[in-house]
Amino acid sequence: MIPLIECLIREVGEDTAREGLLHTPDRVARSLRFLLSGYDLEVADVINGAVFEESYEEMVLVRDIEVYSLCEHHLLPFFGKAHVAYLPRGRIVGLSKLPRIVEMFARRLQVQERLTTQIAAALNEALDPYGVAVVIEASHLCMMMRGVEKQNSRTVTSALTGGFQTDPKCRNEFLDLLGRT
């Protein structure tokens, strides 16, 4: 990977032997390995057995989960917050696993729409709940720094399954808890 990064630096007209750039290819390679480390994980690895039998059947919501990902179209970051809820059907998951699932999928080349649905599908498969709701609000540097150059725009995506999709009361409760009705 390092020769490719050196080539890229030369392609933009820089001198890879310049003092400030001497170690840049290695730093960029390490950074990309970290930012794309989600490919090395599966949902089962992230959950790690932390699914528990529990009769609780009310909504579980973890909101304001920080999201950092790379747009697959421009390799520029997008970032924001994810809100993840589910309706348990006799099984709950450790609360820390919800942000970990978000991070696992975010640490891949992504589009926000796919990221949203991957999180919902993973929870559906792992828990078989009555429903899952995922909303992601993000700012995209590919829209902020280039192209349309709109710094204050945010993209909002949602994925609703089960009761969140079919029951207006359930969906409204979720949206009320997010402060958006």
Side-chain angles (χ1 to χ4, degrees):
M1 183 183 308
I2 292 173
L4 292 172
I5 298 165
E6 289 172 341
C7 181
L8 176 66
I9 292 170
R10 282 192 300 276
E11 187 66 29
V12 299
E14 271 290 354
D15 176 8
T16 57
R18 186 165 61 81
E19 182 181 18
L21 294 174
L22 284 176
H23 302 289
T24 297
D26 182 55
R27 285 191 297 267
V28 170
R30 282 185 282 132
S31 174
L32 286 173
R33 283 187 197 99
F34 173 75
L35 294 173
L36 300 174
S37 61
Y39 291 110
D40 298 332
L41 297 171
E42 299 292 331
V43 174
D45 299 328
V46 171
I47 292 178
N48 195 26
V51 175
F52 309 101
E53 299 295 323
E54 186 62 51
S55 61
Y56 186 81
E57 293 188 351
E58 297 296 322
M59 187 184 311
V60 175
L61 167 64
V62 177
R63 42 182 284 178
D64 298 327
I65 301 167
E66 294 177 358
V67 173
Y68 300 95
S69 193
L70 288 177
C71 162
E72 70 180 32
H73 299 137
H74 304 99
L75 296 184
L76 289 172
F78 66 92
F79 58 94
K81 296 190 183 294
H83 315 289
V84 180
Y86 70 98
L87 298 168
R89 188 192 318 250
R91 294 165 27 126
I92 59 170
V93 66
L95 291 175
S96 71
K97 304 308 179 183
L98 299 178
R100 290 180 192 277
I101 290 169
V102 169
E103 184 166 319
M104 180 192 82
F105 287 115
R107 296 229 183 265
R108 300 175 181 187
L109 293 177
Q110 279 291 8
V111 293
Q112 183 175 329
E113 298 87 342
R114 182 185 324 112
L115 175 60
T116 307
T117 59
Q118 285 177 327
I119 295 164
L123 284 172
N124 261 331
E125 186 175 323
L127 297 175
D128 187 32
Y130 290 116
V132 173
V134 178
V135 170
I136 298 179
E137 305 172 64
S139 299
H140 293 249
L141 288 186
C142 58
M143 286 180 52
M144 296 168 71
M145 291 181 66
R146 56 162 305 284
V148 72
E149 296 186 46
K150 298 300 174 201
Q151 284 72 40
N152 296 312
S153 64
R154 287 190 328 205
T155 301
V156 179
T157 52
S158 66
L160 306 174
T161 71
F164 290 104
Q165 190 174 50
T166 60
D167 183 349
K169 286 174 55 181
C170 181
R171 179 176 36 256
N172 287 338
E173 179 184 353
F174 172 67
L175 295 174
D176 283 346
L177 291 171
L178 294 184
R180 296 155 189 68
T181 52

